[in-house]
């Protein structure tokens, strides 16, 4: 990952304080990016930004936001852009999951998942992508899921939300590509974060999924971060409107 440099790139990472988001923040800091870190826990974000500044000598600031709130995407887009005078990269990572069979699904849980996983990132990307188009271009990277491309039991709302944000990202690629803004999605299988281990930690549940992955294992956060770094960099300058699986071959089984 260190061979990819993002010096001078102003990057907003949502859901940055834990899991994949924390690994993204560290990886982008190591690559020299200028960071705006967002999430719900303002205190944790401030600590994280300070540690990244001290460790990597980069510029990093925190902007707390609760993306379940209706106006949060618009406010976050404006606040994040104001920190360093604009953005070159958005990593749309924040998300939630409430695994349950469809027969136990409630309207409240469905609405919460779609608000955080679809409505908020779609509106945030539209706001930031439009500003990027006005200022010469940029890269929008959506952290989606293999569940966006392949149905997964007990993930009705989650799969629906991730499929929706993949299509939203495609539309952004189509509309904003002519103005220099690239938009792409990453679709990892299970990633071994704390949340991933909580949901998939029992062998009875993980074994059937692992049996469908030719590489025989789940992903780790660094594998998502490495691909996000590539999409954020000029090395991917001709990649637009696509979904990149990070799934060990899950999609071909």
């Amino acid at each position: 990952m260190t061979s990819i440099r993002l010096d001078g790139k102003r990057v907003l990472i949502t859901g940055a304080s834990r899991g994949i988001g924390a690994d993204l923040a560290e990886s982008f800091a190591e690559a020299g990016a200028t960071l705006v870190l967002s999430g719900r826990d303002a205190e944790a974000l401030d600590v994280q930004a300070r540690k990244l500044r001290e460790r990597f000598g980069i510029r990093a600031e925190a902007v707390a936001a609760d993306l379940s709130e209706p106006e949060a995407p618009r406010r976050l887009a404006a606040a994040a852009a104001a920190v360093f005078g604009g953005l070159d990269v958005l990593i749309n990572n924040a998300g939630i999951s409430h695994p349950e069979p469809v027969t136990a699904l409630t309207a409240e849980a469905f609405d919460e998942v779609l608000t955080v996983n679809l409505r908020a990132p779609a509106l945030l990307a539209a706001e930031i992508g439009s500003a990027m188009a006005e200022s010469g271009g940029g890269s929008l990277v959506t952290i989606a899921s293999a569940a966006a491309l392949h149905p997964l039991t007990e993930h009705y709302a989650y799969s629906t939300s991730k499929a929706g944000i993949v299509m939203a990202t495609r539309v952004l690629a189509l509309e904003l590509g002519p103005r220099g803004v690239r938009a792409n999605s990453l679709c990892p299988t299970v990633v071994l974060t704390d949340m991933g281990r909580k949901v998939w930690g029992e062998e009875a549940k993980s074994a059937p999924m692992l049996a469908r992955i030719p590489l025989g294992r789940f992903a780790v956060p660094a594998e998502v971060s490495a691909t996000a770094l590539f999409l954020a960099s000029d090395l991917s300058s001709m990649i637009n409107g696509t979904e990149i699986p990070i799934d060990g071959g899950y999609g071909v089984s």
Side-chain angles (χ1 to χ4, degrees), residues 2 12 16 40 51 94 114 117 139 150 173 183-184 214 229 237 244-245 249:
T2 54
L12 167 61
R40 289 180 292 183
K51 289 182 177 179
L114 262 68
N117 291 6
S139 177
H150 310 283
N184 296 285
L229 278 172
S237 58
I244 299 179

Side-chain angles (χ1 to χ4, degrees), residues 192-214:
L192 293 177
T193 62
D194 289 343
M195 184 173 77
R197 290 185 179 91
K198 179 179 179 181
V199 176
W200 295 95
E202 295 181 7
E203 184 178 356
K205 185 168 185 178
S206 64
M209 177 66 79
L210 287 168
R212 295 180 58 186
I213 300 175

Side-chain angles (χ1 to χ4, degrees), residues 172-192:
L172 290 169
L174 186 63
E175 290 198 9
L176 300 181
R179 302 173 68 186
V181 179
R182 297 182 296 110
N184 296 285
S185 297
L186 300 182
C187 295
T189 183
V190 175
V191 180
L192 293 177

Side-chain angles (χ1 to χ4, degrees), residues 15-200:
S17 63
R18 64 183 65 182
I20 294 172
D23 194 88
L24 284 163
E26 183 169 328
S27 298
F28 275 70
E30 186 177 5
T34 295
L35 298 180
V36 180
L37 307 178
S38 187
R40 289 180 292 183
D41 189 335
E43 184 176 351
L45 289 170
D46 285 336
V47 171
Q48 182 186 27
R50 175 178 55 78
K51 289 182 177 179
L52 293 176
R53 290 194 299 267
E54 293 174 352
R55 181 177 176 188
F56 297 105
I58 54 111
R59 302 165 72 196
E61 299 295 338
V63 177
D66 182 349
L67 291 177
S68 67
E69 297 176 356
E71 292 300 310
R74 180 185 58 81
R75 292 198 301 263
L76 175 57
V83 174
F84 297 117
L87 292 168
D88 304 295
V89 178
L90 166 65
I91 309 295
N92 238 338
N93 168 69
I96 60 173
S97 176
H98 296 309
E100 58 191 359
V102 68
T103 52
L105 182 70
T106 65
E108 292 77 15
F110 187 83
D111 288 347
E112 182 185 11
V113 171
L114 262 68
T115 295
V116 176
N117 291 6
L118 175 54
R119 182 187 186 275
L123 292 177
L124 183 63
E127 289 270 354
I128 291 174
S130 297
M132 287 176 175
E134 293 293 328
S135 61
S139 177
L140 305 170
V141 181
T142 296
I143 309 299
S145 171
L149 308 178
H150 310 283
L152 186 62
T153 57
E154 299 187 357
H155 285 73
Y156 187 66
Y158 182 81
S159 295
T160 300
S161 68
K162 292 299 187 177
I165 196 60
V166 163
M167 185 54 68
T169 304
R170 285 188 179 189
V171 175
L172 290 169
L174 186 63
E175 290 198 9
L176 300 181
R179 302 173 68 186
V181 179
R182 297 182 296 110
N184 296 285
S185 297
L186 300 182
C187 295
T189 183
V190 175
V191 180
L192 293 177
T193 62
D194 289 343
M195 184 173 77
R197 290 185 179 91
K198 179 179 179 181
V199 176
W200 295 95

